[in-house]
């Protein structure tokens, strides 16, 4: 690596991510002002939905939205639409029945060999389609003592070789806490892989600090980082830099998306997303059909539409750039692959 490339990776951006995280856009009015969306904002706004799941938009993410466009694919992911308030009895607050799988505080195991830890109680962004929008993080955020019990439980189960940090968003937590938790996991003998699922490299790329990267690079376990990006417009040079820093830690990088109506449910958007991810050295992993979560009916794409899209993009992309279309069925021993 050239000295110039190395210095990019070891230096931090001037703005501190903690300050960005402390200064999120939380007022819909402010968001509409920034985006010059004056007309009809009030009638487009959820009331009940907003009470239950607040607005949270990091400013670096809002900067990538196109002004004056209610249909902007980034805005649509975060705007609390009045459609959230429509009651639909076929939708559930806990469609994946995670409450039943929640065995120890902070731990979810659904699949053999790998466990998921809800490592942080919050996210940097509130994605309106989120399947965990009704999850009780407060009851599932262990302190150090409880983490120790959860880690002992993992240690006592020799079938577990991979620990997945999810959330909330694990990278919304601070460096010293993450260092502690990751180091604890790294010392579990039978755990060979640590995986981090995060949206922070996309929504606040400044989060990827050199101190975080040092911690990640010091782990003995293999490291997999799955970023969550739904649309090519989310990727700019700051995201590219964050990803470059993560790669320099030795991590394998992949992306997961949710197939969302009016956002990325067309072949052009999906093909462009795969190309843009590949440009920053990230391979597509999963494309999730949205879960049937209360308040998210307006994002739902059905299975046949998903299958048709995959057929279309398969004809336009090399195989390694076609994400795996999956659905999650409670009680199943893996995610359900479609097509
Ligand atoms: C999705 C998920 C995983 C990871 O599954 P992979 O198919 O390995 O990506 C693990 N645990 C839980 C609870 C999950 O929801
Ligand atoms: S970052 Fe992930 S967990 Fe957090 S709100 Fe968005 S989809 Fe949900």
């Amino acid at each position: 690596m050239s000295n110039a490339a190395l210095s990019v990776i070891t230096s931090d951006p001037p703005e501190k991510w903690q300050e960005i995280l402390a200064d999120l856009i939380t007022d819909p009015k402010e968001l509409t002002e920034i985006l010059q969306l004056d007309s009809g904002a009030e009638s487009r706004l959820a009331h009940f939905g907003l009470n239950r799941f607040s607005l949270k938009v990091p400013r670096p993410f809002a900067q990538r939205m196109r002004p004056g466009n209610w249909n902007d694919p980034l805005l649509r992911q975060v705007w609390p639409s009045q459609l959230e308030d429509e009651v639909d009895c076929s939708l559930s607050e806990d469609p994946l029945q995670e409450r039943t799988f929640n065995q120890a505080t902070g731990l979810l195991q659904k699949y053999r060999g790998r466990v998921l830890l809800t490592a942080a109680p919050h996210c940097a962004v509130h994605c309106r389609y989120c399947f965990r929008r009704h999850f009780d993080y407060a009851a599932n955020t262990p302190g150090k003592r409880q983490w120790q019990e959860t880690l002992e439980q993992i240690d006592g189960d020799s079938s577990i070789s991979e620990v997945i940090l999810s959330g909330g968003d694990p990278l919304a937590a601070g460096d010293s806490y993450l260092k502690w938790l990751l180091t604890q996991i790294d010392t579990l003998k039978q755990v060979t892989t640590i995986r981090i699922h995060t949206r922070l490299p996309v929504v606040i790329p400044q989060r990827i600090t050199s101190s975080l990267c040092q911690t990640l690079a010091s782990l003995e376990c293999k490291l997999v980082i799955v970023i969550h990006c739904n649309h090519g417009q989310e990727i700019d040079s700051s995201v590219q830099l964050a990803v470059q820093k993560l790669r320099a830690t030795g991590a394998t990088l992949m992306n997961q998306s949710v197939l969302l109506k009016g956002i990325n449910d067309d072949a052009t958007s999906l093909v462009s997303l795969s190309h843009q991810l590949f440009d920053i050295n990230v391979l597509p992993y999963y494309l999730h059909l949205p879960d049937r979560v209360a308040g998210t009916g307006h994002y739902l794409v059905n299975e046949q539409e998903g299958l048709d899209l995959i057929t279309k993009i398969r004809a336009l992309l090399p195989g390694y750039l076609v994400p795996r279309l999956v659905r999650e069925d409670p009680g199943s021993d893996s995610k359900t692959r479609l097509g």
Side-chain angles (χ1 to χ4, degrees):
M1 198 176 288
S2 73
N3 280 344
L6 254 183
S7 72
V8 158
I9 286 165
T10 50
S11 68
D12 283 339
E15 312 137 279
K16 290 225 179 331
W17 70 273
Q18 295 93 334
E19 285 164 18
I20 301 173
L21 190 60
D23 184 34
L24 302 173
I25 303 169
T26 55
D27 180 355
K29 197 154 176 279
E30 187 187 357
L31 185 59
T32 54
E33 278 164 12
I34 291 172
L35 295 173
Q36 299 152 33
L37 292 163
D38 23 62
S39 65
E42 190 56 30
S43 66
R44 290 170 183 267
L45 188 62
H47 293 281
F48 181 66
L50 192 59
N51 262 333
R52 298 214 52 188
F53 191 54
S54 62
L55 179 86
K56 270 194 186 183
V57 186
R59 289 173 201 274
F61 189 67
Q63 276 162 10
R64 287 171 240 150
M65 297 174 188
R66 307 244 156 85
N69 183 4
W70 278 108
N71 290 325
D72 181 87
L74 277 56
L75 175 64
R76 281 181 84 126
Q77 294 178 48
V78 299
W79 179 258
S81 157
Q82 81 285 0
L83 298 171
E84 286 185 20
D85 290 346
E86 286 179 7
V87 177
D88 179 341
C89 300
S90 75
L91 305 178
S92 148
E93 291 204 351
D94 183 21
L96 305 180
Q97 295 169 22
E98 289 198 329
R99 285 165 201 167
T100 0
F101 290 105
N102 205 343
Q103 287 130 341
T105 321
L107 181 139
L108 272 171
Q109 179 167 23
K110 291 196 217 163
Y111 307 136
R112 197 186 141 74
R114 48 220 198 276
V115 291
L116 190 149
L117 301 184
T118 49
H122 56 283
C123 295
V125 61
H126 275 175
C127 315
R128 308 310 299 180
Y129 54 83
C130 181
F131 72 101
R132 291 217 178 99
R133 57 183 284 159
H134 305 287
F135 192 78
D136 187 0
Y137 286 114
N140 282 285
T141 306
K144 277 196 181 170
R145 167 114 53 80
Q146 286 168 307
W147 270 133
Q148 241 127 19
E149 283 170 26
T150 301
L151 292 165
E152 275 164 32
Q153 192 181 327
I154 298 173
D155 204 22
D157 182 345
S158 60
S159 73
I160 297 169
S161 60
E162 177 172 9
V163 174
I164 303 171
L165 300 191
S166 174
D169 195 312
L171 296 190
D175 283 347
S176 60
Y177 162 80
L178 275 174
K179 184 174 184 175
W180 175 82
L181 185 60
L182 287 165
T183 312
Q184 296 286 313
I185 298 168
D186 202 37
T187 57
L188 301 176
K189 280 184 307 297
Q190 83 283 19
V191 174
T192 54
T193 306
I194 297 177
R195 189 193 323 176
I196 298 175
H197 276 258
T198 177
R199 203 152 154 63
L200 267 152
V202 173
V203 299
I204 307 182
Q206 293 84 347
R207 168 65 186 101
I208 312 306
T209 55
S210 41
S211 110
L212 173 68
C213 291
Q214 269 163 24
T215 301
L216 298 177
S218 73
L219 300 174
E220 289 195 18
C221 281
K222 277 176 291 199
L223 180 63
V224 178
I225 299 175
V226 184
I227 64 168
H228 291 199
C229 177
N230 297 315
H231 193 280
Q233 196 183 312
E234 289 168 53
I235 300 171
D236 69 358
S237 56
S238 64
V239 175
Q240 175 169 19
L241 179 60
V243 165
Q244 200 181 350
K245 286 172 143 185
L246 290 172
R247 268 171 59 80
T249 69
T252 298
L253 279 142
M254 299 190 289
N255 179 64
Q256 148 174 325
S257 313
V258 183
L259 186 55
L260 298 164
K261 178 159 273 169
I263 293 170
N264 58 8
D265 64 334
D266 61 279
T268 311
S269 297
L270 291 176
V271 166
S272 165
L273 173 60
S274 275
H275 281 309
Q276 290 189 65
L277 286 167
F278 189 55
D279 283 347
I280 61 167
N281 294 301
V282 176
L283 285 176
Y285 180 42
Y286 281 149
L287 176 62
H288 279 268
L289 276 185
D291 303 303
R292 303 190 57 82
V293 188
T296 70
H298 53 296
Y299 290 115
L300 290 181
V301 176
N302 70 37
E303 197 171 311
Q304 192 54 51
E305 290 166 326
L307 285 168
D308 290 347
L309 273 167
I310 287 294
T311 308
K312 274 192 199 153
I313 67 170
R314 228 183 240 144
L316 299 167
L317 287 168
Y320 57 86
L321 292 187
V322 180
R324 304 159 178 84
L325 181 69
V326 290
R327 185 186 62 211
E328 207 168 325
D329 298 319
S332 177
D333 60 7
S334 72
K335 304 211 194 292
T336 309
R337 182 102 180 252
L338 304 165

